Amino acid sequence: MISIQQQNYGLSVILHDEFTLADFRQLEEALLKAIEQVQLPNLLLDLSQMKDFTIDMALEHLRFLRQHAHDFGRTAIIVNDIWIRLGARLANLLTLQRPKYFSDRYTALKWLEQGIQNSGVISNHN
């Protein structure tokens, strides 16, 4: 299951239980919309409640990241499970992404908001 909310820094995404291809399609749609609305949107990806993911989703995720490698600003990933963290790091190595990993939401949000202040995120809809 997936929960997606638009925030002042970009998108906040929380994944619960299993991350499926249907969940990824929702995420992909939200990410493409965010790219249209904000120059280099930041992402908060909370994997702390995720238990598993499907292989078809993982392949689509890699494809998407390769196509949009330069379309996002900062990415903060909240993760506690060592295996989910390892999987996320491997995926990011394959796509040359440089997210930062956190164990709690507060620290991740602080880092994302610092990036907004430093980069001056520009909205296309003023």
Side-chain angles (χ1 to χ4, degrees):
M1 189 168 91
I2 189 168
S3 171
I4 304 169
Q5 293 183 336
Q6 192 168 13
Q7 302 291 336
N8 64 335
Y9 55 79
L11 288 181
S12 173
V13 180
I14 302 172
L15 297 166
H16 306 272
D17 299 320
E18 185 177 56
F19 189 20
T20 66
L21 184 57
D23 294 330
F24 178 74
R25 294 288 183 223
Q26 290 179 34
L27 177 58
E28 181 178 38
E29 184 179 316
L31 292 170
L32 291 173
K33 185 177 178 182
I35 292 169
E36 291 176 4
Q37 294 177 344
V38 177
Q39 180 182 352
L40 300 176
N42 292 325
L43 303 174
L44 175 63
L45 188 58
D46 188 341
L47 307 180
S48 64
Q49 299 175 42
M50 188 174 90
K51 304 297 181 213
D52 200 5
F53 57 88
T54 61
I55 298 298
D56 55 350
M57 180 289 308
L59 293 172
E60 285 299 307
H61 178 71
L62 288 173
R63 178 197 55 80
F64 182 84
L65 288 177
R66 284 185 181 160
Q67 289 178 345
H68 298 281
H70 303 289
D71 293 341
F72 297 97
R74 290 181 169 203
T75 299
I77 298 177
I78 303 169
V79 61
N80 299 324
D81 183 275
I82 188 71
W83 297 109
I84 300 294
R85 185 180 190 127
L86 179 62
R89 284 185 183 265
L90 289 173
N92 292 320
L93 286 174
L94 293 173
T95 60
L96 303 177
Q97 296 290 311
R98 302 259 186 245
K100 188 158 179 166
Y101 295 86
F102 299 89
S103 58
D104 67 276
R105 187 174 184 83
Y106 174 79
T107 309
L109 284 170
K110 189 174 178 182
W111 181 74
L112 284 176
E113 290 170 355
Q114 177 187 14
I116 290 174
Q117 294 169 0
N118 293 342
S119 68
V121 173
I122 300 169
S123 173
N124 292 334
H125 301 290
N126 291 330

